[in-house]
Amino acid sequence: MSAKIKLRSQLHLLTGFIAGFICAFVLLLYVYDVSRVSPCWTSSSSSSSSPVSVAMDALSRTEVLPPARILCMVLTCPENVEDLARTVYDTWGRRCNHLIFVSSENYQPLGVVQVVEANGGAYEDLWNKTREGFRHVWENFGQDFDWFLKADDDTYVVMENLHHLLSGFDPDTPVYFGYKMTRYNVSYMSGGASYVLSREALNRFMTQAYGSSVICPEPKKMGIEDFYMGICLQNVGVHFVDSAQSLDGDPKPKFMPLNLEHYLADSNSTIPDWLRLMSVSRVETGLRCCSNYSVAFHYANRERMFLYEFLIYYLRVFDHNLSSGRNQRYLLNSSDLNRRFPLEDNLNIKDLIQMSEKPENF
């Protein structure tokens, strides 16, 4: 009898231990979830839920959602293929799930696809190229990807940050992402800064807007591409998501219509009046100009793209808090110094008067 009582006590103790462990684990999940910078907004329904239900809901979302599949559609032209398009291909384009260039001529080495007539690839044909580019993408890849990025060949994109922004959104909802602007009382996303369409947004553009001149501008020369796209998507019920509002606690813009130097120069003179006039978010300069999770920068030439690439992915700041084992170094003694960095023994400078080669002012 005493053995049974002892066994029952042990079972009660074990059950209590397991229950306490589970409660502590759930509480830790909750603390982590509410303290981090998270994509999207906290819904009103979840804000009134208990901490345990919020934590369990966050855990279930983390386990279920697969990585987003992003297709990058980059607009280029024949004269830019071996310069800007090649640089995109060699840098940030490698991080797209699929990269496609659209132009007025095919170019097999980079997979450039002709979507407009041979003489229709200049700036004045930007709207036509965008329309036909999306048509090609939808017909060939529409069901294979979740998100569709449209960028120009002089834009640099940080794909990891784009994944972070999109992680709080469902590609089967009609969503349109970018740097929000307004013109003629119409909202739209800056085309130069690049913008993103969800699968459902692209579906609505192609099946409802593309063929209707009533709700979506027809192909035409000098069409205002980004402004027109805003009209088309607004008329088919697509949600406009200003990137400045897409991360809780981070109200800074993340798709930049200008190159970074314009923002970092702490002076109003570097920001054109048209940008301040049309931007929905406040335009700031200096080190606080942009989000730490910025996604895209416009007006990036070949050299600037490689500069972004180096600074983001190659440059490292030494961490003094490295583990003691990795951080241990010894001072070089004289023999080590002579072996690794022997003294320079240049006979030409032993007698400066007799020095055969020297600068004029020496």
Side-chain angles (χ1 to χ4, degrees), residues 199-241:
R199 181 170 50 242
E200 177 58 22
L202 183 56
N203 173 44
R204 294 191 183 193
F205 174 72
M206 291 307 308
T207 59
Q208 301 176 38
Y210 177 86
S212 174
S213 60
V214 175
I215 62 173
C216 187
E218 296 178 331
K220 60 186 67 179
K221 293 281 186 180
M222 296 306 296
I224 311 173
E225 170 254 330
D226 46 12
F227 175 71
Y228 286 2
M229 180 60 73
I231 292 174
C232 300
L233 295 179
Q234 194 170 143
N235 279 330
V236 294
V238 173
H239 295 270
F240 286 37
V241 180

Side-chain angles (χ1 to χ4, degrees), residues 201-335:
L202 183 56
N203 173 44
R204 294 191 183 193
F205 174 72
M206 291 307 308
T207 59
Q208 301 176 38
Y210 177 86
S212 174
S213 60
V214 175
I215 62 173
C216 187
E218 296 178 331
K220 60 186 67 179
K221 293 281 186 180
M222 296 306 296
I224 311 173
E225 170 254 330
D226 46 12
F227 175 71
Y228 286 2
M229 180 60 73
I231 292 174
C232 300
L233 295 179
Q234 194 170 143
N235 279 330
V236 294
V238 173
H239 295 270
F240 286 37
V241 180
D242 185 357
S243 66
Q245 306 300 323
S246 57
L247 288 177
D248 286 339
D250 183 8
K252 301 290 184 181
K254 299 162 187 69
F255 293 74
M256 314 308 294
L258 306 177
N259 68 58
L260 187 57
E261 290 93 320
H262 278 78
Y263 293 99
L264 291 180
D266 197 3
S267 168
N268 290 333
S269 62
T270 60
I271 304 297
D273 292 338
W274 62 263
L275 184 62
R276 294 189 184 278
L277 180 65
M278 298 179 186
S279 297
V280 173
S281 301
R282 180 185 176 188
V283 180
E284 298 186 42
T285 56
L287 292 176
R288 299 178 62 83
C289 67
C290 320
S291 169
N292 291 341
Y293 295 98
S294 290
V295 170
F297 299 96
H298 193 205
Y299 297 125
N301 58 21
R302 178 178 175 83
E303 292 75 19
R304 189 171 288 122
M305 285 196 207
F306 279 114
L307 177 62
Y308 288 144
E309 187 80 1
F310 174 77
L311 293 177
I312 295 172
Y313 297 100
Y314 292 89
L315 181 65
R316 294 290 181 268
V317 176
F318 179 74
D319 185 0
H320 288 279
N321 296 318
L322 291 172
S323 63
S324 57
R326 295 180 57 189
N327 203 28
Q328 286 181 350
R329 301 185 66 182
Y330 65 93
L331 297 177
L332 293 177
N333 56 34
S334 297
S335 59

Side-chain angles (χ1 to χ4, degrees), residues 4-62:
K4 289 183 178 180
I5 294 174
K6 184 178 180 180
L7 178 60
R8 187 180 297 115
S9 299
Q10 291 175 342
L11 288 174
H12 286 168
L13 180 62
L14 180 61
T15 303
F17 175 78
I18 294 174
F21 176 80
I22 293 174
C23 289
F25 177 71
V26 170
L27 182 60
L28 285 174
L29 285 175
Y30 168 68
V31 171
Y32 168 76
D33 187 64
V34 300
S35 62
R36 69 190 179 95
V37 175
S38 58
C40 200
W41 310 271
T42 303
S43 66
S44 57
S45 60
S46 63
S47 62
S48 60
S49 302
S50 67
V52 173
S53 63
V54 171
M56 294 304 293
D57 181 59
L59 179 60
S60 65
R61 290 198 308 270
T62 303

